[in-house]
Amino acid sequence: MIVWESGLSLVSWLLALPLAFLFTIYVLELSFGLFRSSDRNSVSQSALAKDLNIAILIPAHNEASIITQTIEGLLDDIPAGTRILVVADNCSDNTAVLARTAGAEVVERSNATQRGKGYALAFGRDILSESPPDCVIVLDADCALDKKSAAKLASAVISKSVPVQATNLIHSASDVSPVVQISNFAMIVKNLVRQRGMTRLGGAALLTGTGMAFPWQIFANAPLANSDLAEDLGLGITITKQGHPPFFLEDAGVSSEAAAKEDTLVQRTRWEHGFLTTARHHAIPLIASGFGKFSASQFFLGLHLLVPPLALLMATGMGALFLLAFATYLGSTPLPFMLLLTTVVAAIFMTIGAWIMEGRRILTFGALIRIPIYILWKVPVYLNFLRGSETRWIRTRRSGEDIFTDPKNDE
């Protein structure tokens, strides 16, 4: 009996310790990121990019429904002389015509085998290299920059000589479904609160694919031409390892409209499979490299990558608590169960704190208490990852587009 209980206790510790460590990282990031700083990392108004040569690069695939609005919104706010370059990539609609009419410079790219955002960015970079700007801002075609954010990003890029990431959030109407509300809140936790906390700890900011700005010297040599689903995350990792950790500029913002409920699962599958695949390959090497080189930017970035998306983290934690409770009933020491329970409860309270501080405007209390249902709704995403991660880039349907759009045109 003693041998049985000792063995069961050992297994319980082996289950509890890694998960408790992941929850501790999550709690630590939220603890440091929960409260806004007084200056929100803002750039001095006197330093705004009035005389800089700025280019905004927009990769666009079949964006006829939104591209005019995106460009007109930019023209109302960007510094004079800013170049807007749209790469109409493998388009089968009139994206290029509409973008030109709205006032952007447009180049068209067609390649049946090299598909995806990374290839479009590399193509646009080749065009920009003929007359290199000081700063390149990458913006998705369905996104809008907050007021003066282009100038703030460019000023920060030039003053710090590293890539700069704006706060990237999703907006939606107040009456959207709880699933969409919770998904939007998860983006706030990931792209604002945890981003803020990780960078305060000394880690590099995560590049999120849109609202990210680069000095030309770094952008010119960045590994862009690939079809990775998380090309932005991988790009940030590469640049951090090269000694140019991205900076998080909370005072600049970029936003996009939330996907419809029927598209949210597809969108989250693409994002989270890309994150999990990238994290699997880079988290441990970054931690080891950061520790060996005394690089806080690499070390804390690696720790951040260890933590899975919030729904997966909570689902795994709850499942492990059930197993540990059963092991305790069978004779294991209760300490592993108590350790994991403590960290899970702390994570839940910190998540509620994030909702109080940042999330109440987009997540109603009624939707908040449905988060356990949302976690169950996400289970197929993670089961599909175990069977084989999503490798295709599937464009999210825009507002007003036909739900029956041929998916072959959007891969």
Side-chain angles (χ1 to χ4, degrees):
M1 180 63 70
I2 294 177
V3 174
W4 161 257
E5 292 178 351
S6 298
L8 195 59
S9 295
L10 176 60
V11 172
S12 296
W13 279 116
L14 291 175
L15 176 61
L17 285 174
L19 287 172
F21 181 61
L22 298 184
F23 276 99
T24 299
I25 297 170
Y26 175 79
V27 169
L28 185 65
E29 288 183 342
L30 262 63
S31 298
F32 276 78
L34 201 58
F35 298 99
R36 303 180 185 182
S37 58
S38 57
D39 62 359
R40 298 185 66 189
N41 291 329
S42 61
V43 177
S44 170
Q45 291 295 315
S46 62
L48 291 181
K50 297 179 180 178
D51 301 317
L52 293 177
N53 182 2
I54 306 169
I56 299 178
L57 180 56
I58 304 176
H61 171 65
N62 289 348
E63 299 289 359
S65 65
I66 195 70
I67 194 65
T68 298
Q69 177 183 333
T70 298
I71 294 170
E72 289 179 348
L74 285 173
L75 290 172
D76 286 341
D77 184 63
I78 57 178
T82 298
R83 182 180 182 184
I84 301 176
L85 176 62
V86 174
V87 179
D89 187 59
N90 288 300
C91 291
S92 58
D93 64 3
N94 60 341
T95 293
V97 173
L98 292 174
R100 288 192 187 96
T101 303
E105 177 185 352
V106 179
V107 291
E108 297 183 60
R109 174 182 178 273
S110 180
N111 190 310
T113 57
Q114 295 182 333
R115 304 175 67 88
K117 180 178 174 180
Y119 293 111
L121 291 177
F123 189 82
R125 177 177 59 189
D126 291 342
I127 302 300
L128 292 175
S129 66
E130 298 170 5
S131 179
D134 300 314
C135 169
V136 179
I137 299 173
V138 175
L139 184 70
D140 283 351
D142 64 330
C143 291
L145 286 171
D146 292 353
K147 193 169 182 61
K148 297 189 182 300
S149 288
K152 292 175 182 177
L153 286 168
S155 295
V157 160
I158 299 306
S159 65
K160 297 180 179 298
S161 298
V162 298
V164 178
Q165 175 62 56
T167 304
N168 177 16
L169 301 178
I170 294 177
H171 63 83
S172 59
S174 59
D175 59 347
V176 296
S177 69
V179 163
V180 176
Q181 290 185 46
I182 296 169
S183 182
N184 294 352
F185 173 63
M187 288 288 286
I188 287 181
V189 173
K190 171 182 175 289
N191 286 350
L192 176 58
V193 182
R194 289 186 64 196
Q195 180 91 289
R196 189 194 281 154
M198 179 175 59
T199 54
R200 286 177 179 171
L201 287 166
L206 294 180
L207 296 180
T208 63
T210 185
M212 53 185 189
F214 302 84
W216 175 255
Q217 294 84 349
I218 292 178
F219 191 71
N221 298 299
L224 300 176
N226 61 72
S227 57
D228 291 348
L229 293 184
E231 81 287 329
D232 46 1
L233 182 60
L235 179 60
I237 292 170
T238 298
I239 292 174
T240 298
K241 292 168 70 174
Q242 291 173 347
H244 308 288
F247 175 77
F248 177 49
L249 186 65
E250 181 183 345
D251 198 36
V254 61
S255 62
S256 59
E257 185 178 354
K261 179 182 178 181
E262 57 269 21
D263 295 319
T264 298
L265 189 61
V266 174
Q267 185 183 65
R268 300 301 297 186
T269 297
R270 186 178 78 242
W271 289 349
E272 295 186 14
H273 282 202
F275 176 87
L276 291 170
T277 299
T278 303
R280 182 175 60 190
H281 290 103
H282 293 284
I284 299 300
L286 276 170
I287 293 171
S289 177
F291 185 79
K293 297 178 179 178
F294 300 100
S295 170
S297 60
Q298 293 189 44
F299 181 76
F300 284 105
L301 178 58
L303 289 181
H304 178 92
L305 293 176
L306 281 181
V307 181
L310 183 56
L312 177 58
L313 179 68
M314 290 296 181
T316 305
M318 293 301 178
L321 282 175
F322 175 81
L323 293 175
L324 290 172
F326 186 62
T328 301
Y329 172 78
L330 293 178
S332 169
T333 173
L335 293 179
F337 172 80
M338 296 303 297
L339 173 65
L340 184 58
L341 178 64
T342 300
T343 58
V344 170
V345 170
I348 291 172
F349 273 102
M350 292 304 300
T351 303
I352 293 173
W355 174 73
I356 292 172
M357 297 299 297
E358 301 287 354
R360 286 181 295 173
R361 66 184 183 276
I362 58 99
L363 178 64
T364 65
F365 180 76
L368 178 70
I369 61 178
R370 299 187 191 186
I371 286 181
I373 299 175
Y374 174 80
I375 293 174
L376 293 176
W377 177 75
K378 291 287 290 295
V379 167
V381 172
Y382 308 121
L383 292 178
N384 288 336
F385 180 78
L386 292 176
R387 288 195 289 264
S389 63
E390 177 63 76
T391 58
R392 300 170 300 158
W393 181 86
I394 303 175
R395 174 183 170 278
T396 302
R397 187 166 53 93
R398 310 304 184 208
S399 177
E401 290 183 347
D402 188 350
I403 192 171
F404 298 111
T405 298
D406 185 357
K408 292 180 181 180
N409 292 330
D410 293 326
E411 292 184 5

